[in-house]
């Protein structure tokens, strides 16, 4: 984690247990790099350790940005990335469209 620029003191023993249970070094490095590239503060991982090992993270973020969400939206509401797998996120966006709503204008917390 320190190699990725994270402070291990920001995580609990339970967080480490979850990360170790799902450990995939490549995915962790890629996801941290993705967050860095998008200029999202890495503290997004502090309360959402699931993002470290989410193999669909890149696709979910790409989907959200394709409907007009910006990195700041994602930083403020990362729970949408944890709550849904890619298929579930696609379904939520589809429901918004079918309801006549523009996903860009709907806060992520309402997804």
């Amino acid at each position: 984690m320190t190699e990725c620029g994270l402070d291990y003191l920001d995580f609990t023993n339970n967080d480490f247990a979850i990360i170790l249970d799902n450990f995939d070094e490549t995915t962790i490095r890629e996801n941290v790099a993705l967050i860095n590239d998008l200029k999202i503060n890495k503290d997004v991982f502090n309360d959402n350790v699931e993002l470290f090992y989410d193999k669909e993270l890149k696709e979910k973020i790409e989907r959200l940005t394709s409907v007009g969400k910006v990195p700041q939206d994602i930083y403020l509401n990362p729970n949408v990335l944890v709550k849904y797998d890619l298929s579930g996120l696609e379904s939520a966006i589809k429901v918004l469209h079918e309801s006549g709503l523009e996903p860009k204008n709907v806060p992520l917390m309402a997804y």
Side-chain angles (χ1 to χ4, degrees), residues 32-77:
V32 172
L34 173 65
I35 294 300
N36 279 335
D37 291 346
L38 293 171
K39 307 279 190 268
I40 296 174
N41 192 312
K42 287 184 285 194
D43 69 1
V44 73
F45 291 108
N46 294 4
D47 294 323
N48 304 284
V49 296
E50 301 87 351
L51 299 179
F52 278 121
Y53 53 84
D54 184 346
K55 293 185 183 303
E56 297 180 326
L57 184 63
K58 181 177 181 179
E59 291 83 7
K60 291 191 286 188
I61 289 175
E62 287 172 350
R63 185 63 180 117
L64 289 172
T65 57
S66 76
V67 297
K69 294 302 179 184
V70 296
Q72 182 68 11
D73 294 330
I74 295 166
Y75 173 73
L76 293 173
N77 294 288

Side-chain angles (χ1 to χ4, degrees), residues 13-43:
N13 287 338
N14 188 48
D15 291 339
F16 282 113
I18 292 168
I19 293 166
L20 288 173
D21 285 345
N22 297 281
F23 188 76
D24 179 341
E25 183 177 353
T26 302
T27 301
I28 290 171
R29 287 185 183 280
E30 288 173 355
N31 288 353
V32 172
L34 173 65
I35 294 300
N36 279 335
D37 291 346
L38 293 171
K39 307 279 190 268
I40 296 174
N41 192 312
K42 287 184 285 194
D43 69 1

